[in-house]
Amino acid sequence: MMRRPPRRPSAALVSANTFIKCLIQGGMIFVSSFCLYFGMLNRGFPAETARTCGFTVLVLSSILLVLVNCSEEESVFTTIRRLWPDKGIWAINLGIPDALFFLIYTLLHEKMGFTPLSISNLIITIALSLAAVMWYEVVKLFRRLLRE
């Protein structure tokens, strides 16, 4: 990033393309979280379970979204390899899920209106979090293939 020339002072801070990308990515996370929440309520799950699953998707997707958006060109796996030596990044990227799981699996969950998730619900939330964000990796792959 430091090798790029600075942006023009008159240029917008956020381009139209970046704004649209943010709207789509945020929309995907919202839809994933809301559909899981609403679907669980409709299937008779307790509101606390549905709320915990929806919140978990939001948190995990947000962490993944940061990694996916570190580069417009390279894959998230390349980004992870590049960031591997950075202990600060990993403290944050691992600390947030640790705090989430602490929030869910200790008595603190009662204060937040959450409930401990079963293994199957946890797997569903992780899979949905991945799906809500990793679709953009396919977009980046197509861009790389078209450029070659």
Side-chain angles (χ1 to χ4, degrees):
M1 186 172 242
M2 295 301 290
R3 292 185 185 122
R4 287 190 235 160
R7 69 175 181 80
R8 293 184 326 274
S10 60
L13 285 175
V14 178
S15 70
N17 287 343
T18 301
F19 184 71
I20 290 168
K21 180 183 84 166
C22 290
L23 285 177
I24 293 170
Q25 288 177 327
M28 291 294 288
I29 292 172
F30 169 76
V31 166
S32 298
S33 178
F34 183 75
C35 286
L36 178 62
Y37 171 78
F38 193 69
M40 290 184 85
L41 287 178
N42 282 339
R43 290 183 179 248
F45 282 89
E48 294 82 10
T49 303
R51 185 179 309 119
T52 306
C53 285
F55 182 74
T56 301
V57 168
L58 286 175
V59 171
L60 295 179
S61 294
S62 297
I63 295 167
L64 290 169
L65 190 63
V66 169
L67 292 173
V68 165
N69 284 320
C70 276
S71 171
E72 286 295 317
E73 297 171 8
E74 64 187 25
S75 76
V76 69
F77 305 109
T78 303
T79 299
I80 289 171
R81 277 196 307 270
R82 187 172 38 84
L83 294 175
W84 193 256
D86 191 338
K87 291 181 176 89
I89 294 289
W90 291 110
I92 292 167
N93 284 337
L94 296 175
I96 292 171
D98 286 349
L100 173 67
F101 294 124
F102 179 78
L103 181 67
I104 293 172
Y105 294 106
T106 64
L107 294 178
L108 197 56
H109 69 82
E110 293 172 0
K111 296 287 184 196
M112 300 297 294
F114 293 151
T115 189
L117 296 178
S118 66
I119 294 295
S120 60
N121 285 341
L122 188 58
I123 289 170
I124 288 168
T125 59
I126 291 170
L128 199 53
S129 299
L130 285 166
V133 174
M134 295 304 280
W135 64 269
Y136 193 65
E137 284 299 306
V138 176
V139 171
K140 291 193 304 187
L141 175 65
F142 279 119
R143 282 186 190 155
R144 285 192 304 271
L145 291 174
L146 290 173
R147 249 191 316 264
E148 292 176 0

